[in-house]
Amino acid sequence: DAGVTQSPTHLIKTRGQQVTLRCSPKSGHDTVSWYQQALGQGPQFIFQYYEEEERQRGNFPDRFSGHQFPNYSSELNVNALLLGDSALYLCASSSPRVDGNNTGELFFGEGSRLTVL
Amino acid sequence: AQSVTQLGSHVSVSEGALVLLRCNYSSSVPPYLFWYVQYPNQGLQLLLKYTSAATLVKGINGFEAEFKKSETSFHLTKPSAHMSDAAEYFCAVSLVSGGSNYKLTFGKGTLLTVNP
């Protein structure tokens, strides 16, 4: 059973460039969330996708956008990169409904580490 | 809105000693609470979760946590630390509305160091 997979694992960009990060959810999950983890900080919620739509968004500018595909995989796009966008970007998958079998737990990938120079 | 405060950004213990990592939460509705562990250069792994059932929750690797509503706390403990427990630990609270999970709000993390 494959877990959450993310690509690429590491990448370096320069200010002003654009980046796309990719995520495949755990088998059986159809909800994907993205988190940004700056160095020495806890993960911060960017947004969540379900049924190919953005369901909820955290406090991030419009430079951050996403997409979910019919196979539930997802992309995170960041435009006009700033030095402050350097971080570990974590993808997490879950089931959309919380019930006796699913308690809202997220399963995380190992992340994509973005360095902006 | 919900929030999490982890007391102590760095905790150092000797191997075999008690591990206590503190977490206090704020939530306008009954929360779901989680502890995650992150090893260097890896993603987050769930240690344990509280979902309004038993207040004492047992997780993996010998960790447990107790939900105390009166103290709004969810501290993580392990009776005897092992070298392999050295990692960063994150407490998180979840907003669940209408049966759907929207997001986790994380604390800033506590780095656990285990000394031989």
Side-chain angles (χ1 to χ4, degrees), chain B residues 13-96:
Chain B
V13 300
S14 298
E15 192 173 19
L18 171 71
V19 175
L20 171 60
L21 305 182
R22 299 177 187 274
C23 171
N24 288 89
Y25 70 90
S26 172
S27 177
S28 56
V29 298
Y32 283 15
L33 293 162
F34 305 81
W35 276 98
Y36 281 85
V37 61
Q38 186 175 37
Y39 297 100
N41 300 313
Q42 294 189 22
L44 278 72
Q45 178 184 7
L46 181 69
L47 276 177
L48 49 78
K49 58 190 176 188
Y50 166 77
T51 57
S52 72
T55 56
L56 181 61
V57 181
K58 294 187 182 299
I60 62 172
N61 301 337
F63 284 94
E64 63 181 38
E66 185 172 8
F67 172 70
K68 293 187 177 181
K69 184 178 179 180
S70 61
E71 299 177 8
T72 62
S73 69
F74 190 57
H75 301 331
L76 181 70
T77 60
K78 181 174 181 178
S80 177
H82 191 273
M83 296 295 290
S84 61
D85 295 327
E88 184 120 34
Y89 291 80
F90 293 94
C91 181
V93 61
S94 176
L95 172 63
V96 178

Side-chain angles (χ1 to χ4, degrees), chain A residues 35 48 56 98 103-105, chain B residues 36 38 46 49 99 101-102 104:
Chain A
Y35 288 78
Q48 184 182 80
Q56 191 170 8
V98 177
T103 50
E105 138 182 20
Chain B
Y36 281 85
Q38 186 175 37
L46 181 69
K49 58 190 176 188
N101 174 36
Y102 286 101
L104 289 180

Side-chain angles (χ1 to χ4, degrees), chain A residues 4 11 22 32 37 48-49 108:
Chain A
V4 178
L11 69 167
R22 296 175 177 82
V32 174
Q37 186 179 16
Q48 184 182 80
Y49 277 84
F108 285 85

Side-chain angles (χ1 to χ4, degrees), chain A residues 32-34 45-49 54 56-58 64-66 76:
Chain A
V32 174
S33 303
W34 287 92
F45 176 75
I46 303 175
F47 41 53
Q48 184 182 80
Y49 277 84
E54 183 180 292
Q56 191 170 8
R57 188 181 184 91
F64 289 77
S65 63
L76 164 65

Side-chain angles (χ1 to χ4, degrees), chain A residues 18 21 23 35 43 49 55-56 58 60 63-64 66 71 73 77-78 89-90 94 96 101-103 108 116:
Chain A
Q18 178 265 346
L21 307 178
C23 172
Y35 288 78
Y49 277 84
R55 185 157 72 166
Q56 191 170 8
F60 279 80
R63 299 186 297 108
F64 289 77
N71 66 353
S73 66
N77 300 291
V78 187
Y89 288 85
L90 295 165
S94 59
N101 293 320
N102 167 38
T103 50
F108 285 85
V116 182

